[in-house]
């Protein structure tokens, strides 16, 4: 059996699936404990159900995009390992970057036919080690840090904490929207106006979608829309992206992108 | 004798379970390459891994410290443990937790926010695990759909769609606050096009400016009574 066949073998599914099952069990435990604690402190169960509905509906679309990351990496690393990496701790943008850097260090291209057993186990170790620091910090500092934050949140006087969190999130959103504006105006060089307009247009379409669904959810009888407005607005933005891409075909889109995806699936190209 | 506060006991156990789960996950993730290495008949090259860590890992180490300090207040303690274990923070867990906080109408740093955030991240992680498991199971029949050149642009634009929808929600009530970070970020990305590969780092100056402006606004409101 060659390396790629072994990377896609039942044993690999068992090892990776076992770890994913453990993490899923941890999530179930945390969810059940939070539900019970919420009831114990007198939270309205309908509010908690609303949170569950909204979180579940919102997560489906980003999860499908993450699945595409699994597919992109599967050509070089098999299916089970990227499945594990993107289900546990991994991040879509991180995995391809680190996998590529790790492949360089072991002196191969990140491609199916170039993969050796030693290269794979080294790449796998590096992918795990580089991103583990959030968990290490949680081990040692989560308790102290969150107790400090809680004390501030529950202090009798007016607290800036809630406003600060909203401001931080506005900063986060602004960084991304700013990057879409910058990418459009300075695509490859400063002020070349040759950038890709699709991300900005897609964001605008999703914003319009959000406005429509927020307004509709205020209408009597359509209150249920509130829980799904974010997911539906994202869907509207993504659907609009299909149209925008037809109007503004980017280099490497269409047939070229399809061919690129096919090559990735066959593991014949460096990521 | 005083009655034990159920929330205090919940918090204590959350840290205990969170730490144990984190430790086990760390061992599993770092142990898996060696188990797989034994199965494949070739252990990891530790020298190459160390060199690789210096070249690509250090950046992510710094980024992890920043993520921990900035995102833990948004995630809460239970949500923090779960989010760090399950990953995909910016493109999924943070927006999910913030959106849930808004829907539930709870404030950051409160007991209710801790519950809402944990519930939201646990559900989001479970949905991701389920979607990925179903996707892997049905990979062959799904492949033509997911890789279709027609649908591909939609999946390529999940993050812009997410932040576009969130921008409407958060800019609407805080236009003045959003204006300067948006202008600053747009100007920086226009003047330094190479920054677009560092968007996640640019969240820091953007967030810092937004917090600074919010602080001045908050002080002004308090002074005005």
């Amino acid at each position: 059996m060659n390396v790629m066949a072994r990377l896609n073998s039942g044993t690999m599914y068992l090892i990776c699936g076992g770890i994913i099952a453990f993490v899923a069990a941890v999530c179930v435990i945390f969810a059940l404990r939070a539900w019970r604690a919420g009831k114990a402190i007198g939270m309205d169960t309908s509010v908690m159900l609303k949170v569950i509905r909204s979180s579940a509906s919102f997560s489906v679309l980003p999860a499908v995009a993450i699945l595409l990351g699994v597919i992109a990496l599967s050509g070089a690393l098999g299916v089970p390992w990227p499945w594990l990496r993107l289900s546990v701790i991994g991040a879509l943008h991180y995995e391809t970057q680190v996998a590529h850097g790790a492949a360089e260090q072991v002196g191969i291209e990140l491609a199916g036919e170039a993969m050796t057993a030693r290269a794979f186990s080294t790449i796998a170790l590096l992918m795990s080690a580089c991103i583990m620091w959030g968990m290490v910090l949680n081990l040692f500092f989560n308790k102290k840090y969150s107790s400090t934050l809680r004390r501030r949140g529950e202090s009798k006087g007016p607290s800036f904490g809630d406003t600060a969190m909203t401001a931080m999130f506005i900063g986060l959103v602004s960084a991304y929207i700013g990057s879409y504006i910058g990418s459009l105006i300075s695509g490859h060089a400063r002020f070349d106006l040759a950038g890709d307009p699709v991300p900005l247009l897609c964001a605008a379409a999703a914003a319009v979608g959000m406005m429509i669904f927020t307004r509709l959810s205020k209408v009597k009888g359509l209150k249920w829309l509130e829980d799904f407005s974010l997911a539906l607005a994202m869907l509207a933005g993504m659907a609009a992206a299909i149209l925008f891409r037809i109007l503004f075909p980017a280099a490497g889109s269409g047939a070229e992108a399809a061919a690129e995806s096919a090559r990735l699936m066959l593991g014949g190209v460096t990521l | 004798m005083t009655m034990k506060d159920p929330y205090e006991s919940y918090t204590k156990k959350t840290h205990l379970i969170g730490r144990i789960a984190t430790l086990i996950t760390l061992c599993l993730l770092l142990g898996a390459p060696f188990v797989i290495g034994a199965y494949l008949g070739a252990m990891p090259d530790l020298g190459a891994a160390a060199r690789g860590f210096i070249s690509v890992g250090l950046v992510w180490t710094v980024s992890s410290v920043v993520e921990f300090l900035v995102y833990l207040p948004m995630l809460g303690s239970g949500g923090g443990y779960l989010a760090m274990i399950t990953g995909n923070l910016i493109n999924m867990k943070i927006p999910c937790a913030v959106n849930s906080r808004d829907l539930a109408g709870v404030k950051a740093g409160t007991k209710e926010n801790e519950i809402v955030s944990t519930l939201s991240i646990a559900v989001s992680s479970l949905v991701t695990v389920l979607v990925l498991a179903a996707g892997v199971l049905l990979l062959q029949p799904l492949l033509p759909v997911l890789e279709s050149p027609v649908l591909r642009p939609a999946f390529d634009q999940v993050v812009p769609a997410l932040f576009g929808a969130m921008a409407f929600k958060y800019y609407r009530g805080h236009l003045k606050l959003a204006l300067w970070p948006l202008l600053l970020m747009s100007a920086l990305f226009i003047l330094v096009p190479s920054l677009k590969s560092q968007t996640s780092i640019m969240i820091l100056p953007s967030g810092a400016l937004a917090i600074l402006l919010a602080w001045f606004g908050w002080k002004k409101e308090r002074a005005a009574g």
Side-chain angles (χ1 to χ4, degrees), chain B residues 14-60:
Chain B
T14 296
H15 286 297
L16 182 69
I17 297 171
R19 281 172 167 175
I20 293 171
T22 301
L23 197 60
I24 295 174
T25 310
L26 267 174
C27 292
L28 289 173
L29 279 179
L30 290 175
F34 292 94
V35 175
I36 294 168
Y39 166 65
L40 297 174
M43 283 294 168
D45 177 345
L46 295 179
R51 283 195 303 278
F53 183 80
I54 291 166
S55 76
V56 289
L58 284 181
V59 178
W60 292 98

Side-chain angles (χ1 to χ4, degrees), chain B residues 148-167:
Chain B
S148 137
V150 177
L151 290 181
R152 186 80 204 201
F155 292 116
D156 284 344
Q157 303 299 330
V158 170
V159 175
L162 164 63
F163 286 117
M166 290 304 248

Side-chain angles (χ1 to χ4, degrees), chain A residues 6 9 11-13 20 22 24 27 30-31 33-34 37 43 47 52 54-56 58-59 62-68 71 79 81 83 85-94 97-98 105 117-118 120-122 124-126 128 130 132-135 137-139 142-143 145-146 149-150 154 158-160 162 164-183 185-187 190-191 199 202-203 206-207 210-211 226 230 234 238 241-242 245 258 261 265, chain B residues 8 10-11 13-15 17 19 22-26 29-30 33 36 39-40 42-46 49 51-53 55 57 60-61 64-65 68-70 72-74 77 80-82 84-88 90 92 96 99-101 103-104 107-109 111 115-116 119-120 122-126 129 131-132 135-136 139 143 146-147 149-150 153-155 157-169 171 174 178 182 185-186 189-191 193 196 203 206 210-211 214-215 218 222:
Chain A
R6 296 183 87 177
S9 66
T11 310
M12 283 295 290
Y13 277 100
I20 293 169
F22 169 75
C27 293
F30 269 81
R33 292 188 69 251
M43 279 182 76
V47 171
I52 291 173
S54 152
S55 303
F58 158 77
S59 303
V64 174
I66 293 167
L67 178 63
L68 288 170
I71 293 170
V79 175
W81 184 255
W83 174 39
R85 294 296 320 140
L86 286 158
S87 298
V88 182
I89 209 184
L92 200 50
H93 59 290
Y94 160 88
Q97 208 177 330
V98 173
Q105 289 305 316
R118 193 166 171 80
F120 177 84
S121 57
T122 309
L125 178 62
L126 202 49
S128 297
C130 288
M132 67 180 185
W133 302 106
M135 285 205 284
L137 288 166
N138 252 333
L139 259 183
N142 182 316
K143 193 175 180 180
Y145 189 27
S146 45
L149 292 167
R150 211 180 101 201
E154 288 175 351
S159 164
F160 177 62
D162 200 55
M165 284 309 102
T166 304
M168 185 64 217
F169 196 73
I170 285 174
L172 192 156
V173 173
S174 299
Y176 277 87
I177 302 291
S179 80
Y180 306 145
I181 295 170
S183 298
I185 297 173
S186 302
R190 216 175 286 167
F191 298 109
C202 173
M210 193 69 181
M211 183 183 75
E226 194 183 12
L230 183 56
M234 281 174 71
M238 288 166 68
I242 297 175
R245 187 49 82 209
S261 301
M265 280 308 300
Chain B
E8 277 305 316
Y10 165 77
T11 310
K13 274 193 188 154
T14 296
H15 286 297
I17 297 171
R19 281 172 167 175
T22 301
L23 197 60
I24 295 174
T25 310
L26 267 174
L29 279 179
L30 290 175
I36 294 168
Y39 166 65
L40 297 174
M43 283 294 168
D45 177 345
L46 295 179
R51 283 195 303 278
F53 183 80
S55 76
W60 292 98
T61 307
S64 296
V65 175
F68 175 78
L69 292 172
V70 174
L72 195 74
M74 292 186 189
S77 53
Y81 284 113
L82 274 185
M84 295 294 174
I85 288 174
T86 55
N88 286 300
I90 294 173
M92 188 185 262
C96 189
N99 185 52
S100 296
R101 189 191 73 174
L103 276 179
K107 287 194 178 295
K111 292 175 184 177
I115 302 293
V116 164
L119 208 51
S120 148
V123 170
S124 174
S125 305
L126 280 170
V129 165
V131 169
L132 289 193
V136 166
L139 199 56
L143 215 51
L146 293 172
E147 288 289 320
V150 177
F155 292 116
Q157 303 299 330
V158 170
V159 175
L162 164 63
F163 286 117
M166 290 304 248
F168 171 77
K169 195 167 176 174
Y171 284 7
H174 309 88
L182 182 62
M185 286 298 112
S186 303
F189 283 108
I190 289 168
L191 295 172
K196 65 184 170 194
I203 292 167
S206 181
I211 290 177
W215 169 256
W218 187 74
R222 279 190 69 194

Side-chain angles (χ1 to χ4, degrees), chain A residues 133-267:
Chain A
W133 302 106
M135 285 205 284
V136 173
L137 288 166
N138 252 333
L139 259 183
F140 295 105
F141 303 112
N142 182 316
K143 193 175 180 180
K144 197 166 182 192
Y145 189 27
S146 45
S147 317
T148 310
L149 292 167
R150 211 180 101 201
R151 270 199 304 276
R152 283 187 193 166
E154 288 175 351
S155 60
K156 291 260 185 279
S159 164
F160 177 62
D162 200 55
T163 313
M165 284 309 102
T166 304
M168 185 64 217
F169 196 73
I170 285 174
L172 192 156
V173 173
S174 299
Y176 277 87
I177 302 291
S179 80
Y180 306 145
I181 295 170
S183 298
L184 171 63
I185 297 173
S186 302
H188 308 289
R190 216 175 286 167
F191 298 109
D192 65 355
L193 294 172
D196 185 4
V198 173
L200 187 62
L201 289 170
C202 173
V208 172
M210 193 69 181
M211 183 183 75
I212 294 168
F213 292 119
T214 307
R215 295 238 166 112
L216 283 175
S217 68
K218 309 276 182 238
V219 176
K220 205 180 166 188
L222 291 174
K223 182 113 180 76
W224 58 271
L225 261 178
E226 194 183 12
D227 302 353
F228 304 99
S229 54
L230 183 56
L232 290 171
M234 281 174 71
L235 196 62
M238 288 166 68
I242 297 175
L243 183 70
F244 293 138
R245 187 49 82 209
I246 295 168
L247 295 172
F248 303 100
S253 70
E256 257 181 70
E260 175 80 354
S261 301
R263 279 207 306 274
L264 275 170
M265 280 308 300
L266 294 169

